Amino acid sequence: TSRSCCSPSFVFDRMTKSSAKRRHLTSDSVRVGWTVSSVFGFVFSLAKGSAGSLFPECTIHIQANLEDDLVKEALRTGVDLRQYSKQVETELQRIEQASIKDYIKESQNIASLHNQITACDSILERMEGMLSSFQSDLSSISSEIQTLQQQSVSMNLRLKNRQAVRSQLSQLVDELVVPSTMISPVTEQEFLEQLHELNSKINYAKELSFKETLACSDIQDIVDRLKIKAVSKIREFILQKIYSFRKPMTNYQIPQNTLLKYRFFYQFLLANERTVAKEVRDEYVDTMSKIYFSYFKSYSGRLLKVQYEDVADKDDLMGVEDTAKKDILQTAGFFSKPSLKSRNTIFTVGQRGAVLSPAELEGPILIPHTAQRGDSRYPYETLFRSQHYALLDNGCREFLFLSDFFMVAGNSALDLFNSIMGKTLSMFLKNLSTYLSDCYDSIAVFLCIHIILRFRAITVKRNIPALDKYWEAVLELLWPRFELILEMNIQSIRNTDPQKLGVLDTRPHYITRRYAEFSSAVVSINQTFPNERTHTLLGQLQVEVENFVLKMAAEFPSRRDQLIFLINNYDMMLGVLMERAADDSKEVEGFQQLLLARTQEFIEEILSPPFGGMIAFVKESEALIEKGQLDKLRNDEARITQLVRGFSSTWKQSVEALSQDVMRSFTNFKNGTSIIQGALTQLIQYYHGFHKVLSQPTFRSLAVRSELINLHHLMVEVKKHKPNF
């Protein structure tokens, strides 16, 4: 209803529907008519018997049409096909007439539709022309864009090329341009910066000269004159610095590190004027060699003035007889030690070992004039430590300076260092050799050895190999001398004649005390850097001391005095050794075994006079019990009675006398107390064995058994006699 009845679209719809209806009717009638004619034709063919040969496709078409719903319906209802065909023809004619009328009725609309279509076609044609024009314009624009893109790439490439050229030209110009203010006075900070800039220009000019750059020749003369001027200034400045080192020092340190901030000066000389660089280095080597030699020669001489006035000589050996009573008592420890201002201890380390402590080993060096004002005196190893620590400190600093300032490494650095320090090191070795040729202080020599070992470890830790050969040379001087002195002491003990050592005394001998102090000192020092040669020599010394103690003990007439002498000496040596040496050291273990053996023998010796009868009876009875022959003692009732009653009546007095005698015999109260405790313990064990023997069936009927002291009561009473110290 929305469209007009005479509009082109309405007319078109009507015409379309009428055509569709006619096509439908026509199709049905044709299909039915064809089917009918096909059936009659097929029947006729069957009648003649030639259907299969004349119409080979007939059967297929008939079968297909018979499947049609309309044909099925017509065959089912029995419609007359001819009549039906006529009806269809009539209907078709009627519809055709109606359709013609419709076309005639809508002719104006159809004409209008045709005009409209023609107008639309004209409009579309103009639009096609416009679009074609647009397409042509777009093609032209695309071509122009492509042209612009090519131009842009070309311009970009030219820009990059020009920028690259500009960069190189700019660098070239900057490197070649020499400011008029270049090369200021050396003392100014700007000089170092300008020297860097000049060095860069020189190197750049050399590089361009190989490329035959014409601009290089324009500035070559200016650069050369500036280089000569800079070299002259640097040479004069560095030589003045080196000459300033010749002034007397107040802090015993060489101020060569002040040159480090001018390290580039020498680098500039080395790169541009090797002759001047060699002159500067040679002047430095010559100056510093003289400075070090003069400094250490003066320092070493002043140190010797604060050494002990009285030092050990060839008669100060371990086995040499001490004729002065005061020295004997001092060595034994009864009087105070000799004054450190006049004489150093020879065999006792005392406080001398403190020189190896980290605090003192790397502590400040001695200032000789300060020590002289304080009237102080020092042992040789303290002076040796101060001297070599000054060498270590200055040597490490010098080696690092040489490696950094003169830019050398490896063997070149070592050669340069030796050219400076060689004279000084040779002087040190010569002085040491002179001192050692007349040195008999083994403790001092051994401490010097370990000072060098520790200093060598410090240089290894600092990665300074410059002094390695010197350390080895010093050790090659010290070790043989130490071994010689030790062998002289061993020989002196071996040659000692006990009969020439004066009055016999059971107290510790001064020779064994010397050995104990010396051995403990060497063992304690040697623990940090163990040395097999030292252990071997100490072993030989120990053997000789043990033999000496046995020879001295043999001079006593009684075995009791011999044992007291042996125990006192073993105990003293063991006590001194255990103060410094490790408990598991060879020396400590050896003397522990000797002390234990002699102590057991002495206990048997002191128990024998008061209790010898009982001890002998117990040992004899225990031996017979093991053999099953105890009946042999059945007739010893009187002996047993005497032993039981004798022990009961005298044991307290005997124990008291024994305790007093032991405490008088031994200088070490602790050792005496231990011996008393051991003797009382042994006595209780013997009495316990006596009880066990008398409890055997052979003696069980003896009446005297009732007089035996109760073992627990005896132990309680014995404890009262143990001294407390």
Side-chain angles (χ1 to χ4, degrees):
T1 56
S2 61
R3 294 182 297 175
S4 173
C5 295
C6 57
S7 64
S9 60
F10 176 75
V11 174
F12 182 77
D13 289 343
R14 289 287 302 275
M15 292 174 64
T16 302
K17 291 179 180 179
S18 299
S19 300
K21 186 175 181 182
R22 287 198 306 273
R23 282 198 303 272
H24 179 69
L25 292 175
T26 304
S27 175
D28 290 344
S29 60
V30 170
R31 188 168 60 253
V32 173
W34 191 87
T35 301
V36 172
S37 60
S38 297
V39 170
F40 281 113
F42 181 68
V43 173
F44 180 76
S45 299
L46 286 177
K48 290 187 175 183
S50 58
S53 58
L54 296 177
F55 303 99
E57 298 178 357
C58 185
T59 304
I60 297 173
H61 291 297
I62 291 174
Q63 186 64 31
N65 290 321
L66 287 176
E67 296 295 329
D68 189 270
D69 293 336
L70 186 60
V71 175
K72 286 182 179 181
E73 181 65 22
L75 293 176
R76 185 178 62 80
T77 55
V79 176
D80 187 356
L81 296 179
R82 294 177 181 173
Q83 183 64 34
Y84 183 74
S85 177
K86 291 180 179 180
Q87 291 179 359
V88 171
E89 287 290 338
T90 304
E91 186 65 23
L92 285 175
Q93 292 177 359
R94 185 182 63 79
I95 292 173
E96 183 180 1
Q97 292 297 323
S99 178
I100 292 171
K101 291 180 180 180
D102 288 337
Y103 276 109
I104 294 172
K105 183 179 180 180
E106 300 295 336
S107 59
Q108 292 182 354
N109 293 332
I110 291 172
S112 176
L113 177 62
H114 175 72
N115 293 332
Q116 292 178 5
I117 290 173
T118 302
C120 289
D121 192 28
S122 176
I123 293 171
L124 291 174
E125 184 178 0
R126 288 198 304 273
M127 291 180 65
E128 182 181 5
M130 292 174 62
L131 292 175
S132 297
S133 176
F134 289 157
Q135 183 178 7
S136 176
D137 293 341
L138 288 175
S139 298
S140 176
I141 292 173
S142 175
S143 176
E144 291 178 359
I145 290 175
Q146 186 175 3
T147 302
L148 291 174
Q149 185 177 7
Q150 293 176 352
Q151 293 177 355
S152 175
V153 171
S154 176
M155 292 174 67
N156 189 30
L157 180 60
R158 289 197 299 272
L159 176 62
K160 289 183 178 179
N161 292 336
R162 291 176 181 178
Q163 287 177 342
V165 172
R166 177 189 176 187
S167 175
Q168 294 184 1
L169 288 176
S170 175
Q171 180 182 0
L172 178 64
V173 172
D174 291 341
E175 294 292 342
L176 292 179
V177 170
V178 180
S180 59
T181 58
M182 183 171 286
I183 308 302
S184 58
V186 181
T187 55
E188 297 181 4
Q189 179 63 29
E190 291 79 5
F191 178 80
L192 184 60
E193 299 175 0
Q194 293 175 355
L195 190 65
H196 277 282
E197 185 178 355
L198 176 60
N199 188 61
S200 176
K201 293 183 182 300
I202 292 173
N203 293 333
Y204 194 74
K206 289 180 181 179
E207 181 182 351
L208 291 180
S209 64
F210 292 110
K211 300 179 181 179
E212 299 180 357
T213 304
L214 296 178
C216 178
S217 59
D218 295 338
I219 63 150
Q220 189 65 49
D221 183 60
I222 299 175
V223 171
D224 289 341
R225 282 188 281 122
L226 285 175
K227 181 177 70 174
I228 294 173
K229 183 179 179 182
V231 168
S232 176
K233 284 188 174 184
I234 292 173
R235 175 185 175 279
E236 181 181 358
F237 177 77
I238 295 181
L239 290 179
Q240 287 178 356
K241 285 288 184 181
I242 294 174
Y243 296 151
S244 67
F245 297 159
R246 299 176 181 178
K247 297 178 182 179
M249 294 172 292
T250 57
N251 58 352
Y252 294 96
Q253 287 188 351
I254 313 299
Q256 76 273 46
N257 286 340
T258 56
L259 277 177
L260 275 180
K261 60 181 179 180
Y262 306 111
R263 175 177 175 271
F264 184 73
F265 289 0
Y266 181 79
Q267 183 179 349
F268 182 85
L269 294 179
L270 193 63
N272 298 284
E273 196 61 51
R274 287 184 173 271
T275 304
V276 177
K278 184 178 183 302
E279 178 189 1
V280 169
R281 191 171 83 165
D282 292 344
E283 188 64 34
Y284 177 85
V285 169
D286 182 65
T287 300
M288 296 306 297
S289 177
K290 293 177 180 178
I291 290 175
Y292 278 122
F293 182 79
S294 175
Y295 159 64
F296 280 109
K297 182 179 180 181
S298 173
Y299 183 64
S300 300
R302 292 183 179 183
L303 283 178
L304 292 178
K305 294 180 181 179
V306 295
Q307 188 182 0
Y308 284 129
E309 298 174 359
D310 192 8
V311 296
D313 55 29
K314 62 181 179 180
D315 295 327
D316 291 322
L317 299 176
M318 203 173 293
V320 174
E321 180 184 358
D322 224 344
T323 56
K325 184 177 180 180
K326 181 178 179 180
D327 288 344
I328 295 175
L329 295 175
Q330 286 173 342
T331 305
F334 290 100
F335 289 163
S336 60
K337 294 182 179 179
S339 172
L340 293 180
K341 293 184 179 180
S342 61
R343 181 178 176 85
N344 184 25
T345 54
I346 301 173
F347 303 106
T348 305
V349 68
Q351 297 299 319
R352 299 171 68 183
V355 73
L356 299 178
S357 64
E360 188 167 341
L361 185 69
E362 300 184 54
I365 63 174
L366 292 177
I367 308 299
H369 61 271
T370 303
Q372 285 179 317
R373 284 200 301 266
D375 198 21
S376 300
R377 293 293 182 268
Y378 300 94
Y380 178 76
E381 64 273 6
T382 301
L383 309 180
F384 183 86
R385 196 282 317 174
S386 182
Q387 181 188 48
H388 282 80
Y389 187 69
L391 174 65
L392 169 69
D393 193 30
N394 284 281
C396 291
R397 187 183 298 108
E398 182 65 34
F399 182 78
L400 292 174
F401 172 79
L402 294 176
S403 301
D404 192 8
F405 187 82
F406 293 106
M407 295 174 291
V408 290
N411 292 331
S412 299
L414 295 177
D415 293 341
L416 186 60
F417 178 84
N418 290 329
S419 63
I420 294 175
M421 301 295 295
K423 289 177 60 178
T424 301
L425 299 181
S426 298
M427 178 192 67
F428 273 18
L429 293 175
K430 182 179 179 180
N431 292 344
L432 180 62
S433 178
T434 302
Y435 170 80
L436 291 177
S437 64
D438 195 34
C439 175
Y440 297 91
D441 188 353
S442 53
I443 294 293
V445 176
F446 197 62
L447 286 172
C448 290
I449 289 174
H450 279 265
I451 288 171
I452 294 299
L453 292 175
R454 284 161 173 78
F455 282 168
R456 184 172 65 178
I458 291 174
T459 56
V460 170
K461 185 178 180 181
R462 295 181 182 179
N463 195 24
I464 305 295
L467 294 171
D468 288 352
K469 291 184 178 180
Y470 174 75
W471 301 140
E472 295 299 329
V474 172
L475 291 176
E476 288 176 1
L477 292 176
L478 292 173
W479 273 118
R481 188 62 188 180
F482 174 73
E483 293 173 358
L484 176 62
I485 299 173
L486 205 53
E487 289 172 356
M488 292 172 65
N489 281 283
I490 293 172
Q491 189 64 35
S492 69
I493 295 176
R494 185 183 296 124
N495 297 336
T496 299
D497 186 359
Q499 295 180 356
K500 296 181 180 181
L501 297 179
V503 181
L504 294 176
D505 192 345
T506 57
R507 290 177 296 182
H509 200 274
Y510 61 85
I511 291 181
T512 58
R513 178 171 290 278
R514 290 173 181 174
Y515 161 76
E517 294 288 352
F518 176 78
S519 181
S520 65
V522 173
V523 170
S524 62
I525 295 171
N526 200 50
Q527 288 176 350
T528 306
F529 292 92
N531 182 269
E532 192 60 33
R533 291 185 294 179
T534 304
H535 288 304
T536 302
L537 291 172
L538 285 179
Q540 296 175 8
L541 181 61
Q542 182 178 351
V543 171
E544 295 300 330
V545 170
E546 291 175 2
N547 293 335
F548 165 76
V549 173
L550 293 176
K551 288 192 296 183
M552 284 297 300
E555 297 295 317
F556 291 92
S558 66
R559 182 59 180 167
R560 178 181 176 278
D561 289 341
Q562 292 178 359
L563 291 173
I564 292 174
F565 177 79
L566 291 174
I567 291 173
N568 274 330
N569 280 275
Y570 290 154
D571 177 66
M572 181 273 298
M573 290 187 287
L574 183 62
V576 174
L577 284 169
M578 291 185 67
E579 289 179 0
R580 296 183 179 274
D583 294 342
D584 58 349
S585 66
K586 181 180 178 181
E587 293 77 12
V588 171
E589 291 179 352
F591 285 115
Q592 282 178 338
Q593 295 174 1
L594 292 173
L595 178 62
L596 180 61
R598 299 289 80 80
T599 300
Q600 291 297 325
E601 184 179 354
F602 179 76
I603 289 174
E604 296 291 337
E605 186 71 22
I606 61 176
L607 289 177
S608 181
F611 308 109
M614 181 191 68
I615 294 172
F617 177 78
V618 171
K619 291 181 178 179
E620 181 182 359
S621 300
E622 289 177 347
L624 292 174
I625 290 173
E626 290 181 0
K627 299 178 181 179
Q629 301 174 358
L630 190 60
D631 292 339
K632 291 182 179 181
L633 300 177
R634 184 181 296 276
N635 297 325
D636 287 351
E637 182 177 354
R639 178 186 175 189
I640 295 173
T641 301
Q642 182 183 359
L643 292 175
V644 171
R645 292 174 179 174
F647 183 86
S648 300
S649 61
T650 63
W651 76 269
K652 289 186 179 180
Q653 295 84 351
S654 298
V655 167
E656 184 66 29
L658 180 147
S659 299
Q660 294 177 2
D661 183 41
V662 169
M663 298 308 297
R664 285 194 302 267
S665 300
F666 297 100
T667 56
N668 185 353
F669 291 155
K670 183 178 179 181
N671 183 42
T673 303
S674 175
I675 292 174
I676 293 174
Q677 292 177 351
L680 296 179
T681 302
Q682 189 67 29
L683 175 63
I684 292 174
Q685 290 179 354
Y686 279 133
Y687 197 70
H688 178 63
F690 190 53
H691 268 264
K692 289 178 64 177
V693 171
L694 295 184
S695 65
Q696 297 295 321
T698 304
F699 306 114
R700 196 171 293 170
S701 60
L702 295 178
V704 75
R705 290 182 68 247
S706 61
E707 299 181 22
L708 288 171
I709 300 175
N710 181 272
L711 192 61
H712 179 70
H713 176 71
L714 178 64
M715 293 174 64
V716 173
E717 291 296 325
V718 164
K719 286 182 179 180
K720 297 179 182 179
H721 293 273
K722 289 183 178 180
N724 296 317
F725 294 101

